[in-house]
Amino acid sequence: MKTIYNFSAGPAMLPLSVLSQIKKDLYNWKGLGISVMEISHRNEHFLQLVQEIEQDLRDLLQIPSNYKVLFCQGGARGQFSAVPINLLDEFSNNPDYIESGYWSQAARIEAEKYCVPNIINVKKEYNGKKYILSPHNWKISKRPAYIHYCPNETIDGTAVYEEPSMDNKIIVGDFSSALLSSFINVKKYGIIYASAQKNIGISGITLVIIRDDLLKKSKNVAPSILDYKILSYHNSMFNTPPTFSWYVSGLILKWLKNMGGVKKIEFINKVKSDLLYKTIDNSDLYFNDINHLNRSNMNVTFRLLNKNLIDLFEKESFNNGLHALRGHRIVGGFRASIYNAMPIEGIKELIKFMVYFENKYG
Ligand SMILES: *Cc1c(COP(=O)(O)O)cnc(C)c1O
């Protein structure tokens, strides 16, 4: 069978070794004679597993001890509600929402149910190139309740690599397609959240890393399953957690540790995305109009100058084992999502195909 390289934006590909481990564990996890899916989340073996998962995450991201790690449900979109519900009270000013693309805008639209967010547009264009204002040029309000932003816009293919550094302000980051792809300084944030199905496993579980003083803020009207205080008090087991997703995240963290950790994978991710952008920039058929400093190393978008070739490119790439390259329906074009699990061989195969296709039809 030909090797398939899956460029899906999420749920996304998993490392082969993780899939093999799941298969090996499936009927008989830890010698218990049953699957991890079939035991109680209060079982001692499961409790030990989740402790290990939290420790691995803390090691990988060097999470300071005054931060709690929560494993939540409801995806990143659940956090679009949880953040304002937990952080706002009747004395709060409105929060600032940095708009850099589709997902940061979706977060702001959800927040409008609870407050009147200050919308800060940082999407700009110069000389025909799209770019994102760097954080020190963001026009932040005087005393926002918090500042929400999205470092990697999964659909637009843009990224902000500079970390916002703002004294005494609560920065909330939607890291759904960025967490664990490059090293970050957790201390700069009030809350970091990410749903798992891009870089941390499969859908169903959402990571929240929260500075512990922010746990006290939630109002009593918050739905309990979104209430950080309650989730923290119950060690993310207020209600039945998605145990299988949690377990898969654990395998991914172990895999990442074996790969050499976050700084190592960051280096590899840069090599991978540079190769792909170089191919696009050197071509007369493909183009990407995003400023180099804001090009995502996770979601590489590109378009074809000859629109008549779009369907053919999709069909032929698929037939060559390169799956899910079509861009998101709202932006069109193509997108190669190349999260941590995408091996460099997959990038090379894609480049080989792109060059072949251009030579043949371009
Ligand atoms: C995928 C994604 C989301 C949505 O995640 P769900 O788990 O489907 O709610 C939100 N923000 C970003 C940046 C994403 O990439």
Side-chain angles (χ1 to χ4, degrees), residues 9 74-78 80 103 150 152-155 174-177 193 195-198 206 339:
R77 279 194 186 271
F80 291 177
W103 284 116
C150 178
N152 187 76
E153 287 282 3
T154 322
I155 291 176
D174 173 2
F175 276 78
S176 291
S177 51
Y193 65 86
S195 48
Q197 67 272 19
K198 278 106 187 203
T206 306
Y339 302 117

Side-chain angles (χ1 to χ4, degrees), residues 60-321:
L60 282 164
L61 288 174
Q62 294 176 19
I63 301 175
S65 59
N66 64 323
Y67 282 73
K68 290 270 179 204
V69 177
L70 306 175
F71 296 88
C72 306
Q73 303 187 56
R77 279 194 186 271
Q79 295 307 310
F80 291 177
S81 314
V83 166
I85 286 175
N86 280 276
L87 294 189
L88 297 172
D89 60 43
E90 65 263 48
F91 308 111
S92 296
N93 294 320
N94 287 316
D96 284 357
Y97 273 73
I98 310 297
E99 273 192 26
S100 52
Y102 179 87
W103 284 116
S104 52
Q105 183 180 56
R108 183 265 297 171
I109 290 168
E110 184 69 16
E112 281 174 343
K113 292 183 177 174
Y114 311 101
C115 57
V116 185
N118 307 308
I119 303 169
I120 300 172
N121 178 26
V122 298
K123 244 173 108 167
K124 305 285 170 191
E125 210 167 306
Y126 181 74
N127 269 347
K129 293 264 183 205
K130 296 190 179 109
Y131 75 100
I132 311 287
L133 270 187
S134 75
H136 56 265
N137 290 325
W138 293 351
K139 294 212 161 40
I140 299 300
S141 314
K142 259 218 168 65
R143 301 171 73 84
Y146 58 88
I147 302 163
H148 181 278
Y149 92 113
C150 178
N152 187 76
E153 287 282 3
T154 322
I155 291 176
D156 305 72
T158 56
V160 178
Y161 293 104
E162 226 175 310
E163 289 185 272
S165 212
M166 293 160 198
D167 290 341
N168 303 318
K169 295 209 164 59
I170 301 167
I171 297 177
V172 179
D174 173 2
F175 276 78
S176 291
S177 51
L179 199 64
L180 297 170
S181 69
S182 62
F183 195 76
I184 56 168
N185 187 351
V186 174
K187 268 207 286 275
K188 294 196 163 169
Y189 302 89
I191 297 176
I192 289 168
Y193 65 86
S195 48
Q197 67 272 19
K198 278 106 187 203
N199 244 340
I200 324 166
I202 60 172
S203 59
I205 200 147
T206 306
L207 271 56
V208 174
I209 303 167
I210 177 169
R211 210 176 62 215
D212 55 12
D213 61 293
L214 299 176
L215 289 170
K216 300 185 193 96
K217 287 189 83 109
S218 75
K219 290 173 291 191
N220 290 329
V221 296
S224 299
I225 63 152
L226 293 181
D227 188 323
Y228 296 140
K229 205 169 42 201
I230 292 176
L231 293 173
S232 171
Y233 179 79
H234 291 276
N235 297 316
S236 306
M237 292 192 184
F238 170 68
N239 68 325
T240 314
T243 50
F244 190 72
S245 306
W246 208 341
Y247 150 84
V248 176
S249 299
L251 296 180
I252 291 288
L253 298 180
K254 287 271 187 256
W255 170 83
L256 186 51
K257 273 190 149 176
N258 276 332
M259 290 282 290
V262 177
K263 284 182 178 153
K264 182 75 189 290
I265 206 88
E266 177 175 359
F267 176 79
I268 297 170
N269 286 334
K270 182 90 174 71
V271 171
K272 280 156 54 183
S273 57
D274 279 354
L275 280 174
L276 208 41
Y277 283 120
K278 211 169 87 195
T279 306
I280 295 165
D281 290 342
N282 288 338
S283 128
D284 294 319
L285 177 62
Y286 314 106
F287 74 100
N288 169 296
D289 61 357
I290 300 163
N291 181 292
H292 282 61
L293 293 173
N294 296 121
R295 284 175 162 180
S296 168
N297 60 6
M298 292 284 101
N299 310 97
V300 176
T301 54
F302 59 94
R303 289 172 187 281
L304 302 193
L305 276 165
N306 181 351
K307 291 197 170 65
N308 297 325
L309 293 175
I310 292 175
D311 290 338
L312 189 64
F313 184 92
E314 187 180 18
K315 194 169 136 228
E316 284 214 12
S317 58
F318 187 87
N319 290 340
N320 278 273

